[in-house]
Amino acid sequence: MRVLIGGGSGFVGRELTRLLKVRGHDVTVISRQPGPGKITWGELESHGLPPCEGAVNLSGENLMNPLRWWNESYKKDLFSSRLDTTKSLAQAIAASPSPPHSWVLVTGVGCYKPGLTAEYTEDSEWTPFDIFSKLVKEWEDSALLPENVTKTTKQVVIRSGVVLGRDGGAMKQMLLPFWLGLGGTLGSGRQPFPWIHVSDLAGIIVHALERPAQSDTPSPSPQVFNGVAPALNTNHEFTKELGRILRRPTIFPVPGFVMNTLMGSERAVVLMQGQKVIPKKTLEAGFEYKYPDLTSALKEIVGS
C-alpha cells in the first residue's frame, strides 16, 4: 500500500512512517521542504494527489511549543496550519481520478468538555465551548469529502490524547524537571489525563488504513476513534508513576497561576483540566494496545 502523510516529519509522523515501512508499505511525506520520498504542499496543490491507497494528515503547529508566547499570531498559526493543510488534502482527494481507499485525520480530545466525572466515547455529542473545541470542529469539518467520493474513500477521524514518547511531544519538556527532582502535579492533580503512547497512536492510524474498505459500509460521515489508552488516569497518578520509575521525588505541585503565566490561561487549560475519554470504538475495531497502562508506557519511554 502507498500512503501519503501530511506532517510526516513530525513526532507522530516519524513513528507512523517507521511502522508503515516495517509493515511493507511505501510512504510519501508532504513537507514544506522537498527531498527524497517527499512532495511539497505546493506540488500537491499544483499537480494533484500522487497515486496512493491511503492518505493521513498530521500537520499542525505544536500547541505546546515552549518557544512561542500565547498571542493572537500563535493562535492564528494553530488554526491555519491545521485547516489549510487538511483542506488541501481533502480537495486533492476529491479531485483525484483514483482517490485513496482511506483518508485519516488526526485531531484531538479537546472537543470534549473537561470535567472530573463526565465520560466520553466516540458517540458522545459535543458542541464547541472554547478555542480548542472550536478548532477541532473546524478541523474535522475541513476534512469532509463530497458524498460521491465517500462511496469509495473511507473517512476516519482519530481524536488523540496527550501523546507520550521518547523523542518528542509532552515528555520532551517534562523529563528535565523530573530528573532534577522538580516534577510535581499540576494544580490539584485530580484532573483526568487522557494519554496515549506514540507507538499506539501510530498503530491506530495503521489499523484504520489497513482495514479493508469492503468490511465498512461507505458513509458520508467519518468513522471516529478516540486515540487514547484504555487506562483512565489522573494527572496525580501520571506524576507519581513517572517519579517512581525515574526514582525522583514529586513533591512540588505547580500552582495554576504559574501555568497561566508561563503558557497563557487558554493554553494552560489543556494541562490543568482534562477529560475522561474512553476508546470504545477503537477497542471494538479490534485494535490491540502495546502500552495500555502507564507503567508499561513510561518504562518504555524512560528506558527503565
Side-chain angles (χ1 to χ4, degrees):
M1 179 167 67
R2 283 162 297 184
V3 181
L4 185 65
I5 307 175
S9 49
F11 171 47
V12 178
R14 293 192 302 272
E15 180 65 17
L16 176 60
T17 299
R18 186 196 67 77
L19 183 57
L20 284 166
K21 287 182 173 175
V22 163
R23 295 177 70 89
H25 302 303
D26 294 324
V27 175
T28 301
V29 169
I30 316 172
S31 172
R32 282 176 293 211
Q33 307 298 327
K38 294 181 177 179
I39 64 167
T40 64
W41 287 100
E43 286 170 330
L44 177 75
E45 285 168 23
S46 57
H47 302 316
L49 196 76
C52 60
E53 284 76 49
V56 181
N57 195 21
L58 296 162
S59 297
E61 170 74 36
N62 177 8
L63 169 63
M64 293 298 168
N65 186 342
L67 304 177
R68 293 202 61 178
W69 284 108
W70 186 251
N71 55 27
E72 290 309 313
S73 158
Y74 186 20
K75 290 181 210 176
K76 193 176 168 202
D77 286 350
L78 283 177
F79 274 72
S80 63
S81 62
R82 287 160 173 76
L83 304 187
D84 295 351
T85 55
T86 303
K87 279 177 192 161
S88 291
L89 257 169
Q91 286 165 0
I93 290 168
S96 171
S98 55
H101 304 307
S102 304
W103 160 222
V104 180
L105 176 68
V106 179
T107 64
V109 295
C111 58
Y112 305 124
K113 204 165 196 171
L116 298 180
T117 54
E119 294 187 350
Y120 298 98
T121 70
E122 294 88 347
D123 295 319
S124 300
E125 291 190 6
W126 60 279
T127 49
F129 58 91
D130 68 355
I131 183 172
F132 297 116
S133 51
K134 183 170 179 282
L135 172 58
V136 173
K137 177 85 172 72
E138 292 185 25
W139 199 358
E140 293 184 2
D141 285 350
S142 66
L144 293 172
L145 299 173
E147 202 164 327
N148 62 311
V149 184
T150 64
K151 290 183 172 69
T152 52
T153 301
K154 175 178 67 171
Q155 303 179 97
V156 178
V157 167
I158 298 169
R159 294 180 184 145
S160 165
V162 177
V163 185
L164 304 179
R166 196 175 294 194
D167 302 318
M171 292 301 296
K172 203 170 185 180
Q173 292 160 42
M174 282 183 206
L175 281 175
L176 180 60
F178 271 86
W179 275 119
L180 297 173
L182 300 173
T185 54
L186 302 179
S188 72
R190 292 169 59 224
Q191 68 272 31
F193 184 72
W195 63 273
I196 187 165
H197 190 287
V198 65
S199 296
D200 281 329
L201 181 56
I204 294 170
I205 298 168
V206 173
H207 192 71
L209 288 168
E210 289 182 340
R211 283 180 73 198
Q214 298 88 307
S215 68
D216 299 305
T217 311
S219 164
S221 303
Q223 297 176 12
V224 177
F225 297 106
N226 284 333
V228 294
L232 291 175
N233 296 110
T234 62
N235 175 265
H236 177 268
E237 289 166 344
F238 169 78
T239 303
K240 293 301 169 191
E241 188 59 15
L242 181 54
R244 187 185 73 79
I245 288 169
L246 291 172
R247 299 185 180 87
R248 291 291 187 276
T250 52
I251 53 177
F252 296 103
V254 183
F257 74 87
V258 173
M259 295 296 291
N260 291 345
T261 304
L262 289 174
M263 303 181 66
S265 57
E266 283 181 310
R267 181 163 56 160
V269 161
V270 176
L271 297 174
M272 301 303 292
Q273 300 178 23
Q275 312 87 338
K276 283 187 178 178
V277 183
I278 297 165
K280 180 172 173 277
K281 292 271 175 76
T282 311
L283 291 165
E284 286 173 357
F287 179 71
E288 294 181 16
Y289 287 81
K290 278 177 76 178
Y291 305 102
D293 59 87
L294 269 178
T295 305
S296 62
L298 293 175
K299 279 188 171 176
E300 191 282 329
I301 291 164
V302 300
S304 175

